[in-house]
Amino acid sequence: MIRKLLKKISHPLLKFGTEKYFSKPRPFSYEGVEVLVMPGVFPPHYTFSTKILLDYISQIELKGKTVLELGCGSGIISLYTSKKEAIVTASDINESALTALKEASIKNNLVIEIINSNLFKAITNSNFDYIFINPPYYPKSPQDVKEKAWFCGEYFEYFEDLFKQLSQRKDKNVIMILSQDCNIDKIKDIAFKNHLKLEIELERTTIAEKNFIYRIITI
Ligand SMILES: C[S@@+](CC[C@H](N)C(=O)[O-])C[C@H]1O[C@@H](n2cnc3c(N)ncnc32)[C@H](O)[C@@H]1O
């Protein structure tokens, strides 16, 4: 019952119902790192995905490793990996997210390279030690940059482009979180078409939904 209710609350359309709350910058923190989540930027407060990915990352030795957070939103993952002494690049297409992240990096005294890039288009390094992705996965055409945090396109265009580009790269560990709420079989099919496979790393059941962390490998 509670799970059903929470699941409803975490639906993107209802998330938009919380627009009033997120019309002001809202703080979010993890392990002593704090960000201000700007209006129009993916709020890590409601979904469990960002927090689960952060908990997963907390177990990895990242000192001196190169890390890309692809689609960084608030950038809490980028800042946290920088705190773990990784060499971090954060990318997104949402300019207000990137501006706020620049300020957060100064406030937290953490160094990250911040790049406005549509997927890998403006990324020059083709061999990161780690890439972390919390993707948009609802199949609907995004109407603006804000909706791109949630919607992957009616025909899963985000995943079509992502896997095509990933298949031409040489990164060592590509880690992506998905939820039972999305069409995992369809996403796996698109990966397979690009000679990639989603290997399960971790399954986490929260009160609202099941989340899965996958390692994307070449087949
Ligand atoms: C679900 S949010 C995740 C944000 C953050 N990584 C987190 O875990 O809290 C997805 C992010 O991907 C970004 N995004 C969507 N399409 C993108 C694209 N083609 N290239 C780069 N970033 C994109 C969105 O702007 C959004 O910030």
Side-chain angles (χ1 to χ4, degrees):
M1 177 71 184
I2 292 175
R3 181 173 294 199
K4 265 191 181 163
L5 184 68
L6 278 167
K7 200 165 163 53
K8 270 191 176 171
I9 291 169
S10 68
H11 189 277
L13 297 177
L14 283 164
K15 279 176 196 134
F16 289 139
T18 60
E19 216 151 352
K20 193 154 186 273
Y21 180 76
F22 284 108
S23 63
K24 289 190 185 133
R26 298 288 177 184
F28 182 83
S29 63
Y30 185 82
E31 296 289 329
V33 178
E34 185 166 299
V35 290
L36 261 189
V37 183
M38 293 295 148
V41 175
F42 179 80
H45 312 70
Y46 275 162
T47 60
F48 292 90
S49 55
T50 310
K51 169 78 168 53
I52 292 170
L53 203 46
L54 282 162
D55 288 346
Y56 170 81
I57 291 166
S58 72
Q59 304 301 312
I60 307 173
E61 174 57 60
L62 286 177
K63 189 172 180 176
K65 303 284 183 196
T66 52
V67 166
L68 169 66
E69 186 188 8
L70 186 83
C72 60
S74 69
I76 186 75
I77 291 174
S78 298
L79 292 167
Y80 177 61
T81 52
S82 176
K83 192 179 176 188
K84 282 174 68 73
E85 299 183 60
I87 302 152
V88 184
T89 304
S91 69
D92 209 290
I93 40 160
N94 185 328
E95 196 51 51
S96 52
L98 299 177
T99 305
L101 179 53
K102 179 80 206 150
E103 280 167 26
S105 73
I106 294 166
K107 265 197 186 145
N108 286 277
N109 203 18
L110 291 167
V111 177
I112 40 180
E113 182 186 25
I114 299 170
I115 301 180
N116 188 327
S117 178
N118 182 356
L119 295 175
F120 294 101
K121 203 162 180 205
I123 309 284
T124 49
N125 183 351
S126 62
N127 189 4
F128 284 95
D129 290 317
Y130 284 91
I131 298 182
F132 297 112
I133 313 172
N134 180 7
Y137 52 65
Y138 291 100
K140 195 180 155 200
S141 292
Q143 297 305 304
D144 54 31
V145 78
K146 183 175 84 177
E147 290 196 359
K148 285 191 176 182
W150 306 99
F151 301 135
C152 62
E154 196 180 342
Y155 303 105
F156 293 78
E157 292 90 331
Y158 172 93
F159 291 98
E160 294 280 359
D161 293 343
L162 174 70
F163 292 138
K164 192 171 177 192
Q165 292 180 32
L166 272 178
S167 71
Q168 286 150 21
R169 296 177 53 86
K170 299 191 179 330
D171 310 289
K172 294 185 187 72
N173 300 278
V174 183
I175 305 294
M176 182 166 76
I177 188 160
L178 292 173
S179 123
Q180 69 175 154
D181 235 13
C182 68
N183 190 340
I184 294 181
D185 286 342
K186 171 76 183 168
I187 294 167
K188 282 183 174 172
D189 282 351
I190 301 169
F192 187 72
K193 205 170 68 180
N194 288 282
H195 311 288
L196 298 171
K197 189 178 162 199
L198 271 54
E199 255 188 11
I200 190 80
E201 277 276 295
L202 182 130
E203 185 178 318
R204 176 77 66 86
T205 304
T206 64
I207 194 155
E209 62 185 6
K210 252 189 203 160
N211 282 271
F212 307 93
I213 292 185
Y214 292 100
R215 178 181 297 275
I216 302 174
I217 58 161
T218 306
I219 43 172

